[in-house]
Every structure is written in C-alpha cells, then in structure tokens.
Amino acid sequence: MSRTRAATAMATIRWATSTNTATQSMFDRYRLVQRASTFIRCPDERYQAATPHIRLGFAVRTVNQPGLAGGASPHLSKLLVHLGDVLGYLERKAIHFYRFALPRHFTIADLADCQAHLGLLAQRISLQRVRLGIHLDPYLTLAHPDDRIAAETISTVEAACQFLAALDQRDTVQHTLVMHIGVHDAEALQRFRQRWAGLSAHARRRTTLEYTGNGSSLSSLLGLAAATGVPIVFDHLHFQLHNPERWSLPLALGLTLATWPDYLRPEVHLSSQRSEAHLLPGRNGDSRILPPRPGQHADFIVVHDAIALLEASRGLPPFDLMLEAKAGDLALFRLRHELAQYAPTLVGRVG
C-alpha cells in the first residue's frame, strides 16, 4: 500500500471512529469505513502481485518435539540456549515466524551479561529470515489503573524491546512485541494514550496492540491508533466474538492493516474456537470432562477459518500470520496439509 493511500485511509479512520455521536450516526460511520476500504483494498489485483508470501508462525510450544521449547525460562541465558535449539528445528521444518516467552524475571541488566550470545543468535536469525515475537503477560498493561503495575509494564516493555532489537539487524525492525489494553473502564484508553507517550521512541517502534474479544471495540482501537500511531494486531477469533460495528471481515482486516507503518510488516492472529469437550487429568488418575468455554482456543485451526481470512486479504498489504492453536507446530503442519487439499490456489501464498 502506498504512503498516500495509507495516509488517506488513516484520515478516514479518524472520522469513522469519531466519538462525536451527536453529528455522526453509526450509519454515517459505516459509510465512512466503506470509503476507507476503497483506499485500502485493490480487489482487481492478482493474488500473487497484491499479497506476497505470508509467513505462518506458531507460539512457544513445539508439541511435535516435546522438551525442545516450553514455558518461560527462569533466566535469559537459558532462554537463548532454547532459542538456538528452536532455530534449528524451524530451519528443518521451513518455518519463519515464531513467538517465544520472556523469562519470568527479566531486566535490561541481563542483556549485558549475554551480549556475545545475542550477537551470534542475531546472525543466525538473519540468515534463516525468521521473525520473532513476544506476547506480553495479559496482566501487564499501560491502561491499568494501578500506577505500580503500569510502571512494571513500562519497564518490561522497554527491556523486551531492547532484547528484540539485539536479535534484529542494525537499523531494521522485524521482531515485535504484542500487548493488550487489558482493562475496560471508561478511562482505560486515555491512560494508555498518556503512558504510551512516556515510552521511548525505540520501544514504540516495536510495540503493537492486539484487538481482543471483549472490551474496547475495533473502532475504538482504530481511533487510538490514529491518535498515537500504535499498530493494531488483527485477531480473527476476537473479531468473530466482538464486532459491535458489524463490519465485514475484509473491511475490518483492511482498516487494521492500515495502522501499520511502512517499515514494519503487519502481524495477524488466527485461531479457531474450541467446540468440543476435553479431558482434564486429575491428581489421582481420575479425569473430568470440561465443556468448551466461549473464546477458548482450539487445538488446531479449522481450515475454513484460514481460507476465509486469506480470501478476505485479497488486494491488502502483506502480513505474517501467527497461529494461536494449542497444538502449536502440529497445528501449523496440519493447516499446510489441509490448505493444499481444500484450497490449492492459496498454497503458494503461505508457508
């Protein structure tokens, strides 16, 4: 998407997400977002020309190879060893997008202790063309009413972004951090806006905000993006669960991708909602059958959810797709196979 088109789209988003309801009805807003979509989408462009290769990724656990990667490491040095092992696995499986978990207690001081190891990993990551990501702990948010938690959030974001920068190439931004608003009271967005301004420019260049399945609407977050410049991560399941504006999938995806700056490739999340009961093992060998909860992620991706998202991305800017399925890498392998079976024309676009 050209800079002019993106600027025009963002200007329209500001109007579409205006809170001046006295002069702007929801019908007017719908017409405005439809107008924005004409600047964002190019429906007549061919798939290959409009949307280059989309990297599929998975989060944290390598279910196909137990013990290779798991939860948060106790220290940065151990995490770096695990990352080296995971990079070898990603290379063998031709995977180029991966989310890892931060150590439980992580500070900027840890980076200095591991500087040599970080440099070696950065070279390897660059050669493999792997994108890395971090998802901030949900309780850490810039919008929290408790200043202590907000201060801890800022400290963690600054340290995490320095970590990601150390794994990136000089003067490039590829690896990113995702956070949530987290709280949903009337002042949450204003608190986020104020504290966002307090982050370093370096941290703001790598930090993104995910649209969730409750709380602030996508329209509200688009307004926040227009005011602050924070990129919005589109989440397909959250959009299905919480779409008060009743926007179409192509329109919502296009408006969200328009919030990303030219220097940063957008990230999109895909998961399917669990629909089946599952067993919870007990301590004494007994198990309980639990029904699915609304919004709970399934073990695998329903292939038609992926097809719907990829079809909606016709003519939109390219992005990377993080699969948030409990089966981790197994879900990615299965999705590759099922796309080849049910949508062979899409296979060339994803990997």
Side-chain angles (χ1 to χ4, degrees):
M1 182 169 56
S2 70
R3 188 181 299 274
T4 301
R5 179 179 291 171
T8 307
M10 286 306 295
T12 310
I13 288 171
R14 290 187 180 93
W15 280 97
T17 57
S18 168
T19 57
N20 187 0
T21 55
T23 59
Q24 191 175 10
S25 67
M26 281 305 297
F27 178 74
D28 292 329
R29 295 186 190 198
Y30 179 74
R31 292 179 60 188
L32 285 167
V33 293
Q34 282 192 315
R35 181 186 171 204
S37 71
T38 66
F39 293 115
I40 297 169
R41 302 188 72 210
C42 309
D44 296 331
E45 294 183 41
R46 294 178 59 83
Y47 258 15
Q48 295 295 337
T51 310
H53 188 75
I54 294 172
R55 291 177 289 191
L56 294 182
F58 69 97
V60 185
R61 293 185 299 168
T62 50
V63 180
N64 189 50
Q65 192 166 335
L68 180 62
S73 300
H75 190 267
L76 180 62
S77 58
K78 189 171 182 179
L79 169 61
L80 296 181
V81 173
H82 287 169
L83 268 181
D85 293 339
V86 171
L87 285 171
Y89 179 72
L90 297 179
E91 186 173 28
R92 294 192 298 273
K93 301 299 183 180
I95 298 172
H96 300 281
F97 190 20
Y98 177 69
R99 177 194 295 166
F100 63 92
L102 280 175
R104 297 183 182 90
H105 304 289
F106 174 65
T107 66
I108 292 177
D110 296 331
L111 297 176
D113 297 335
C114 302
Q115 190 170 5
H117 199 167
L118 284 166
L120 292 173
L121 271 182
Q123 293 178 20
R124 186 175 179 184
I125 290 165
S126 177
L127 289 173
Q128 289 185 216
R129 298 183 180 180
V130 173
R131 177 180 184 172
L132 298 176
I134 296 172
H135 202 307
L136 203 63
D137 191 304
Y139 96 91
L140 293 176
T141 170
L142 295 178
H144 204 283
D146 187 330
D147 289 336
R148 181 185 57 83
I149 294 178
E152 183 181 354
T153 302
I154 291 172
S155 176
T156 303
V157 168
E158 294 286 355
C161 287
Q162 287 199 30
F163 180 23
L164 293 173
L167 296 175
D168 227 332
Q169 293 302 294
R170 181 174 296 181
D171 300 324
T172 63
V173 181
Q174 178 170 228
H175 314 313
T176 50
L177 178 146
V178 178
M179 64 166 54
H180 289 161
I181 288 292
V183 293
H184 310 298
D185 60 82
E187 304 300 323
L189 295 184
Q190 181 59 30
R191 289 194 299 269
F192 181 96
R193 190 178 302 189
Q194 292 172 348
R195 289 163 179 160
W196 173 264
L199 290 175
S200 67
H202 171 80
R204 290 198 302 269
R205 282 173 61 82
R206 292 182 180 273
T207 303
T208 66
L209 184 63
E210 181 182 352
Y211 170 59
T212 58
N214 54 27
S216 300
S217 68
L218 181 55
S219 174
S220 298
L221 293 192
L222 289 173
L224 186 65
T228 63
V230 60
I232 305 301
V233 175
F234 182 82
D235 187 293
H236 182 257
L237 176 57
H238 294 165
F239 175 71
Q240 290 180 315
L241 295 172
H242 188 51
N243 180 20
E245 296 89 359
R246 311 306 300 168
W247 289 345
S248 68
L249 176 57
L251 178 58
L253 178 61
L255 289 170
T256 308
L257 294 180
T259 65
W260 287 72
D262 292 341
Y263 66 82
L264 192 55
R265 187 178 176 95
E267 175 179 344
V268 172
H269 294 174
L270 174 64
S271 58
S272 296
Q273 184 168 218
R274 182 187 289 276
S275 60
E276 73 284 357
H278 60 287
L279 293 177
L280 179 67
R283 294 182 178 179
N284 300 320
D286 56 338
S287 300
R288 288 188 298 150
I289 298 178
L290 300 180
R293 301 190 308 272
Q296 187 177 18
H297 290 188
D299 294 333
F300 294 90
I301 303 294
V302 175
V303 65
H304 296 292
D305 288 343
I307 292 172
L309 181 64
L310 293 172
E311 291 285 358
S313 71
R314 283 181 180 269
L316 296 178
F319 55 86
D320 292 327
L321 190 57
M322 175 56 64
L323 306 181
E324 295 189 320
K326 293 183 180 296
D329 52 340
L330 287 182
L332 188 151
F333 302 147
R334 179 174 174 175
L335 181 60
R336 282 177 174 174
H337 173 76
E338 292 190 333
L339 283 175
Q341 181 179 2
Y342 294 105
T345 60
L346 298 177
V347 171
R349 295 181 55 213
V350 299

